[in-house]
Amino acid sequence: MKTQMNIRSLINRDNNIVQLLVMTVLIFAVMTALSPDKFLRYYNFESITYIFPELGLLSIAMMIAMLTGGIDLSVVGVANLSGILAGVLFHKMAGAAGIADAGILTVLLGGVIALGTGLAAGTVNGLLITRLGITPILATLGTGQVFTGLAIVLTGGPAIVGFPTAWAFLGNGKILGLATPFVLFAVIAVLIAFVLSRTALGINLMLIGTNPKAALFAGLKRERMVLYSYMLTGVLASVAGIILSGRTNAAKSDYGTSYLLQAVLIAVLGGTNPAGGRGTVLGITIAVAALMLLSSGFQILRFSNHLIDFIWGAFLLLVIAINAYKNRTR
Amino acid sequence: MALLRRSETVIAGILLLAMVLIGTINPAFWQLDNLFSLMRSNVIIGIMAMGVLLVLISGGIDVSFPAFAVAAMYLTIKGMLALGYNGVVLPLLAATLMGLAFGAVNGFFVYKFRMIPLIVTLGTSAMVRGFLLGVVGTSMININKMPTALIDFARTDVVSVTKADGTTYGLTAMVLIYLGLALAMHLVLRYTMIGRSAYALGGDPEAARRAGFDLRKTIFFIYCVAGALAGFAGLLHSGMIWLANPRDFVGLELDVIAAVVLGGASIFGGRGSVLGTMLGVFMLVMVKNSLIIMRVDTTWQLVVVGLIVIAATALSAWRDRRRAA
């Protein structure tokens, strides 16, 4: 009885979630109908659980930046730079034993460096936006370029290949039969959902995004909250970078460039208002799942990656149109 | 005094200072052929910057124009090859119109759905590039297949000089096209109703609407012109480099936006001038090209451009805030 009430209140609170679920089921059904023997294989879903977390974390990061009406175009740059810095460290510290057998301390240090990179990058973004008053679009466009540029300077262009086994476990291992990145994603998603809905930071961010002026008059520390939100965004991006470098056993300055568009698309699709004030982790999660099903389905149908890019773009515009239409009738 | 306070004067001053600095580090900078090649590199970015300037003035942003440019270029050349047509005017017109049509899609979404221009143009950009590479093709069209008329046209020089060793170099006539388009844009922005309405829209959309500006017409005009200029520049570019590459112009949006912001256009809309933009374009191109003659490793290019964007936007944000205060 009680759970029923909860579901009802969930539906009432946000029918966007219901709409998303319907869409996901629809995509699932269509893809199943188009190629039932290949799409429904266990292997297909398992591989989705490995790829999904990177994009999911970047999308959550994008959503947090959008909560205050901003955007973070540097997430992919931060992710790659984090992976590369950790990779450089591993190559420097690798002794005669080789990189693969690097000790747990080395791996931990690598993790600290990667996360620290994300935190530092997010802090730079946040300070540029709050202290210098640069619009988030241009600030993060610029820093994204700097981060990618530093990644090129560090590697000279080619990928850094070879990560410790323990590091790779984060990207392609298994915990209790589930993909490690997926478990990581689940833990982080719950954590972020909690932060956004139950802590002062989350509530403040929503209020600032809904009405910046009112938030200012109500005495909210806007600058500090926005700074924190970009720091959080940076850290999430670096976690995505860790998973990406662990999964592919390599780090490169131009990995995952198409993730940027996809993260924006997922954030918007997941019910985030790019003008600020609205966005949920649950919405993002369902949206990522839906789009992962979509793109794996198209891959099975042997669509080229370029065509899938085309479809993502078209989907984004379609979602914009639908959202605008919905808001008008309301 | 009023002249000193204009942002164009400030940019010109910084530009001169940078030129002296680069020239001191490597005197080769002042050689005529280096200066000519600098001006040549200005043309394509400059033409695109005129469109981006218009968009920024109206308070929007456009990241789709490189995709439009490459699509218009590649489709036009593919079409020319398919039809066996060899010419200059009609293809340029076709590329321009194609860009315009793409731009109209941006305008439609920005106006009709009141969506943030960044997100709309990210979407159209992905669609156009995805379509081009996924459906039209991924192979480059090399010099041996490129329409000769286009190459000959883009090869025209205004002046040409013969060096002591017998090689010749010259200033490309494409600079004149750039200057002509810039002048046209200047006149439109200064003296026409549609140009003024772009400023009004960027200053305050609601005020512009109440003052009786037709926002629909203005928004469509802005994005169509930005697309058209991109399409035109795209085809011109392939004539100048004798190559049609469907993967060209990746990441160019940042360079162009950086140049326009560097030229004093406000990121909040309502401010910006053609002269400032031209100076900004020159500055950006000069710094990028001079990294090589200053013996800086080319891997640093992205970092430098990124830092320029940040510095320029920080300065303009600081200026705008001070003005508002």
Side-chain angles (χ1 to χ4, degrees), chain B residues 44 48 64-76 95 98-99 102 128-129 132 226-238 245 248-249 252:
Chain B
I44 301 303
M48 290 180 177
S64 62
F65 63 91
F68 295 175
V70 79
M73 174 257 278
Y74 196 66
L75 286 173
T76 307
M98 240 181 268
F102 291 136
V128 168
R129 264 195 206 280
L132 189 71
L229 284 171
F232 178 84
L235 191 62
L236 200 61
H237 173 77
S238 78
N245 177 4
D248 217 338
F249 296 143
L252 189 72

Short mmCIF file of all heavy atoms in Angstrom, two decimals, chain B residues 44 48 64-76 95 98-99 102 128-129 132 226-238 245 248-249 252:
data_model
loop_
_atom_site.label_atom_id
_atom_site.label_comp_id
_atom_site.label_asym_id
_atom_site.label_seq_id
_atom_site.Cartn_x
_atom_site.Cartn_y
_atom_site.Cartn_z
N ILE B 44 39.25 32.82 -44.49
CA ILE B 44 38.15 31.89 -44.19
C ILE B 44 37.61 32.12 -42.78
O ILE B 44 36.40 32.27 -42.58
CB ILE B 44 38.64 30.44 -44.34
CG1 ILE B 44 39.14 30.20 -45.76
CG2 ILE B 44 37.55 29.45 -44.00
CD1 ILE B 44 38.12 30.48 -46.83
N MET B 48 33.76 33.61 -41.75
CA MET B 48 32.89 32.92 -40.78
C MET B 48 32.66 33.79 -39.55
O MET B 48 31.57 33.80 -38.98
CB MET B 48 33.52 31.61 -40.36
CG MET B 48 33.54 30.57 -41.44
SD MET B 48 34.29 29.07 -40.82
CE MET B 48 34.11 28.00 -42.24
N SER B 64 27.45 25.48 -34.89
CA SER B 64 27.16 24.57 -35.99
C SER B 64 27.77 25.02 -37.30
O SER B 64 27.79 24.26 -38.26
CB SER B 64 25.65 24.43 -36.15
OG SER B 64 25.09 25.67 -36.46
N PHE B 65 28.29 26.25 -37.36
CA PHE B 65 28.70 26.76 -38.68
C PHE B 65 29.85 25.97 -39.32
O PHE B 65 29.87 25.83 -40.55
CB PHE B 65 29.02 28.26 -38.62
CG PHE B 65 30.15 28.61 -37.73
CD1 PHE B 65 31.44 28.68 -38.23
CD2 PHE B 65 29.95 28.86 -36.38
CE1 PHE B 65 32.49 28.97 -37.40
CE2 PHE B 65 31.01 29.15 -35.55
CZ PHE B 65 32.28 29.21 -36.07
N PRO B 66 30.81 25.39 -38.54
CA PRO B 66 31.82 24.59 -39.24
C PRO B 66 31.20 23.38 -39.93
O PRO B 66 31.63 23.01 -41.02
CB PRO B 66 32.76 24.16 -38.12
CG PRO B 66 32.56 25.14 -37.04
CD PRO B 66 31.11 25.49 -37.11
N ALA B 67 30.21 22.78 -39.29
CA ALA B 67 29.54 21.63 -39.90
C ALA B 67 28.83 22.07 -41.18
O ALA B 67 28.88 21.39 -42.21
CB ALA B 67 28.54 21.02 -38.93
N PHE B 68 28.16 23.23 -41.12
CA PHE B 68 27.46 23.73 -42.31
C PHE B 68 28.46 24.01 -43.42
O PHE B 68 28.22 23.72 -44.59
CB PHE B 68 26.71 25.02 -42.00
CG PHE B 68 25.60 24.84 -41.00
CD1 PHE B 68 24.89 25.93 -40.53
CD2 PHE B 68 25.24 23.58 -40.55
CE1 PHE B 68 23.87 25.77 -39.62
CE2 PHE B 68 24.22 23.41 -39.63
CZ PHE B 68 23.53 24.52 -39.17
N ALA B 69 29.60 24.60 -43.04
CA ALA B 69 30.61 24.96 -44.04
C ALA B 69 31.11 23.71 -44.74
O ALA B 69 31.19 23.67 -45.97
CB ALA B 69 31.77 25.69 -43.37
N VAL B 70 31.42 22.68 -43.96
CA VAL B 70 31.99 21.49 -44.57
C VAL B 70 30.94 20.76 -45.40
O VAL B 70 31.23 20.24 -46.48
CB VAL B 70 32.63 20.59 -43.48
CG1 VAL B 70 31.64 19.78 -42.73
CG2 VAL B 70 33.69 19.70 -44.09
N ALA B 71 29.70 20.77 -44.94
CA ALA B 71 28.64 20.10 -45.70
C ALA B 71 28.39 20.82 -47.01
O ALA B 71 28.30 20.21 -48.08
CB ALA B 71 27.36 20.04 -44.87
N ALA B 72 28.27 22.15 -46.97
CA ALA B 72 28.02 22.92 -48.18
C ALA B 72 29.16 22.72 -49.17
O ALA B 72 28.95 22.52 -50.37
CB ALA B 72 27.86 24.41 -47.85
N MET B 73 30.39 22.72 -48.65
CA MET B 73 31.56 22.56 -49.51
C MET B 73 31.57 21.19 -50.18
O MET B 73 31.66 21.07 -51.39
CB MET B 73 32.80 22.77 -48.64
CG MET B 73 34.11 22.52 -49.31
SD MET B 73 34.78 20.93 -48.83
CE MET B 73 35.52 21.35 -47.27
N TYR B 74 31.42 20.16 -49.36
CA TYR B 74 31.56 18.81 -49.88
C TYR B 74 30.42 18.46 -50.84
O TYR B 74 30.64 17.89 -51.90
CB TYR B 74 31.61 17.82 -48.71
CG TYR B 74 32.13 16.45 -49.08
CD1 TYR B 74 33.45 16.29 -49.48
CD2 TYR B 74 31.31 15.34 -49.02
CE1 TYR B 74 33.94 15.04 -49.81
CE2 TYR B 74 31.79 14.08 -49.36
CZ TYR B 74 33.11 13.95 -49.74
OH TYR B 74 33.58 12.70 -50.07
N LEU B 75 29.21 18.85 -50.46
CA LEU B 75 28.06 18.54 -51.31
C LEU B 75 28.18 19.27 -52.64
O LEU B 75 27.89 18.71 -53.70
CB LEU B 75 26.75 18.93 -50.60
CG LEU B 75 26.33 18.02 -49.46
CD1 LEU B 75 25.14 18.60 -48.73
CD2 LEU B 75 25.98 16.64 -50.00
N THR B 76 28.61 20.54 -52.59
CA THR B 76 28.72 21.31 -53.83
C THR B 76 29.75 20.67 -54.75
O THR B 76 29.50 20.49 -55.95
CB THR B 76 29.14 22.75 -53.51
OG1 THR B 76 28.26 23.29 -52.55
CG2 THR B 76 29.12 23.60 -54.76
N ALA B 95 26.61 26.79 -52.65
CA ALA B 95 27.12 26.54 -51.29
C ALA B 95 26.52 27.55 -50.32
O ALA B 95 26.14 27.20 -49.19
CB ALA B 95 28.64 26.62 -51.27
N MET B 98 22.97 26.62 -49.62
CA MET B 98 22.91 25.45 -48.76
C MET B 98 23.14 25.85 -47.29
O MET B 98 22.41 25.43 -46.40
CB MET B 98 23.98 24.46 -49.18
CG MET B 98 23.44 23.13 -49.61
SD MET B 98 24.79 22.06 -50.05
CE MET B 98 24.95 22.37 -51.77
N GLY B 99 24.16 26.67 -47.09
CA GLY B 99 24.43 27.17 -45.74
C GLY B 99 23.24 27.91 -45.19
O GLY B 99 22.87 27.77 -44.02
N PHE B 102 20.56 25.50 -44.04
CA PHE B 102 20.91 24.92 -42.74
C PHE B 102 20.68 25.93 -41.64
O PHE B 102 20.15 25.62 -40.57
CB PHE B 102 22.39 24.50 -42.71
CG PHE B 102 22.72 23.32 -43.59
CD1 PHE B 102 23.84 23.32 -44.37
CD2 PHE B 102 21.89 22.21 -43.61
CE1 PHE B 102 24.16 22.23 -45.18
CE2 PHE B 102 22.20 21.12 -44.41
CZ PHE B 102 23.34 21.14 -45.19
N VAL B 128 24.15 17.37 -39.22
CA VAL B 128 24.72 17.68 -40.53
C VAL B 128 26.00 16.89 -40.75
O VAL B 128 26.20 16.26 -41.79
CB VAL B 128 24.96 19.19 -40.67
CG1 VAL B 128 25.80 19.49 -41.90
CG2 VAL B 128 23.63 19.92 -40.76
N ARG B 129 26.88 16.88 -39.75
CA ARG B 129 28.13 16.12 -39.89
C ARG B 129 27.85 14.62 -40.02
O ARG B 129 28.47 13.92 -40.82
CB ARG B 129 29.03 16.37 -38.69
CG ARG B 129 30.06 17.44 -38.95
CD ARG B 129 31.16 17.40 -37.90
NE ARG B 129 31.79 18.68 -37.75
CZ ARG B 129 32.73 19.15 -38.58
NH1 ARG B 129 33.12 18.43 -39.59
NH2 ARG B 129 33.25 20.33 -38.38
N LEU B 132 26.54 13.89 -43.45
CA LEU B 132 27.58 14.04 -44.47
C LEU B 132 28.50 12.82 -44.48
O LEU B 132 28.76 12.23 -45.53
CB LEU B 132 28.40 15.31 -44.18
CG LEU B 132 29.37 15.71 -45.28
CD1 LEU B 132 28.61 16.22 -46.48
CD2 LEU B 132 30.34 16.77 -44.78
N ALA B 226 24.43 33.72 -40.90
CA ALA B 226 25.58 32.99 -40.35
C ALA B 226 25.81 31.70 -41.14
O ALA B 226 26.94 31.37 -41.49
CB ALA B 226 25.35 32.68 -38.87
N GLY B 227 24.73 30.99 -41.46
CA GLY B 227 24.86 29.75 -42.23
C GLY B 227 25.36 30.03 -43.63
O GLY B 227 26.24 29.34 -44.14
N ALA B 228 24.80 31.07 -44.28
CA ALA B 228 25.18 31.39 -45.65
C ALA B 228 26.66 31.75 -45.73
O ALA B 228 27.37 31.28 -46.63
CB ALA B 228 24.31 32.54 -46.17
N LEU B 229 27.12 32.57 -44.81
CA LEU B 229 28.54 32.95 -44.81
C LEU B 229 29.42 31.71 -44.61
O LEU B 229 30.47 31.57 -45.25
CB LEU B 229 28.82 33.97 -43.70
CG LEU B 229 28.36 35.39 -44.00
CD1 LEU B 229 28.49 36.26 -42.76
CD2 LEU B 229 29.14 36.00 -45.14
N ALA B 230 28.97 30.81 -43.74
CA ALA B 230 29.75 29.59 -43.50
C ALA B 230 29.82 28.75 -44.77
O ALA B 230 30.89 28.26 -45.14
CB ALA B 230 29.15 28.79 -42.35
N GLY B 231 28.68 28.59 -45.45
CA GLY B 231 28.67 27.80 -46.67
C GLY B 231 29.60 28.39 -47.72
O GLY B 231 30.40 27.68 -48.35
N PHE B 232 29.52 29.69 -47.89
CA PHE B 232 30.37 30.38 -48.85
C PHE B 232 31.84 30.18 -48.50
O PHE B 232 32.66 29.80 -49.35
CB PHE B 232 30.01 31.88 -48.83
CG PHE B 232 30.84 32.72 -49.75
CD1 PHE B 232 30.52 32.83 -51.10
CD2 PHE B 232 31.95 33.41 -49.28
CE1 PHE B 232 31.28 33.61 -51.95
CE2 PHE B 232 32.72 34.19 -50.13
CZ PHE B 232 32.39 34.29 -51.46
N ALA B 233 32.18 30.41 -47.24
CA ALA B 233 33.57 30.28 -46.79
C ALA B 233 34.06 28.85 -46.97
O ALA B 233 35.22 28.62 -47.33
CB ALA B 233 33.70 30.71 -45.34
N GLY B 234 33.18 27.89 -46.74
CA GLY B 234 33.56 26.49 -46.87
C GLY B 234 34.05 26.16 -48.27
O GLY B 234 35.12 25.58 -48.46
N LEU B 235 33.27 26.58 -49.26
CA LEU B 235 33.65 26.26 -50.64
C LEU B 235 34.91 27.02 -51.04
O LEU B 235 35.81 26.48 -51.69
CB LEU B 235 32.50 26.60 -51.60
CG LEU B 235 32.74 26.06 -53.01
CD1 LEU B 235 32.83 24.55 -53.01
CD2 LEU B 235 31.67 26.51 -53.97
N LEU B 236 34.98 28.27 -50.63
CA LEU B 236 36.17 29.08 -50.93
C LEU B 236 37.42 28.40 -50.35
O LEU B 236 38.47 28.34 -50.99
CB LEU B 236 35.99 30.47 -50.33
CG LEU B 236 36.85 31.58 -50.90
CD1 LEU B 236 36.54 31.77 -52.37
CD2 LEU B 236 36.62 32.88 -50.15
N HIS B 237 37.27 27.88 -49.14
CA HIS B 237 38.37 27.21 -48.45
C HIS B 237 38.89 26.04 -49.29
O HIS B 237 40.10 25.89 -49.48
CB HIS B 237 37.88 26.73 -47.09
CG HIS B 237 38.85 25.89 -46.34
ND1 HIS B 237 39.93 26.43 -45.68
CD2 HIS B 237 38.92 24.55 -46.13
CE1 HIS B 237 40.61 25.45 -45.10
NE2 HIS B 237 40.02 24.31 -45.36
N SER B 238 37.97 25.22 -49.81
CA SER B 238 38.42 24.04 -50.55
C SER B 238 39.12 24.47 -51.83
O SER B 238 40.06 23.83 -52.27
CB SER B 238 37.25 23.11 -50.85
OG SER B 238 36.50 23.63 -51.92
N ASN B 245 37.75 18.01 -48.04
CA ASN B 245 37.84 17.00 -47.00
C ASN B 245 36.58 17.03 -46.14
O ASN B 245 36.32 18.02 -45.46
CB ASN B 245 39.08 17.28 -46.14
CG ASN B 245 39.22 16.32 -44.99
OD1 ASN B 245 38.44 15.38 -44.86
ND2 ASN B 245 40.22 16.54 -44.16
N ASP B 248 36.82 18.18 -42.52
CA ASP B 248 37.49 19.45 -42.27
C ASP B 248 36.77 20.27 -41.20
O ASP B 248 35.64 19.98 -40.84
CB ASP B 248 37.54 20.25 -43.58
CG ASP B 248 38.84 21.01 -43.71
OD1 ASP B 248 39.47 21.25 -42.68
OD2 ASP B 248 39.21 21.35 -44.84
N PHE B 249 37.46 21.29 -40.72
CA PHE B 249 36.86 22.31 -39.84
C PHE B 249 36.47 21.79 -38.46
O PHE B 249 35.73 22.45 -37.75
CB PHE B 249 35.61 22.94 -40.45
CG PHE B 249 35.85 23.71 -41.71
CD1 PHE B 249 34.93 23.68 -42.75
CD2 PHE B 249 36.99 24.47 -41.86
CE1 PHE B 249 35.14 24.39 -43.90
CE2 PHE B 249 37.20 25.18 -43.02
CZ PHE B 249 36.28 25.14 -44.04
N LEU B 252 36.85 24.15 -35.35
CA LEU B 252 37.06 25.52 -35.80
C LEU B 252 36.16 26.50 -35.06
O LEU B 252 36.49 27.67 -34.90
CB LEU B 252 36.80 25.63 -37.31
CG LEU B 252 37.19 26.96 -37.92
CD1 LEU B 252 38.70 27.09 -37.98
CD2 LEU B 252 36.61 27.12 -39.31
#
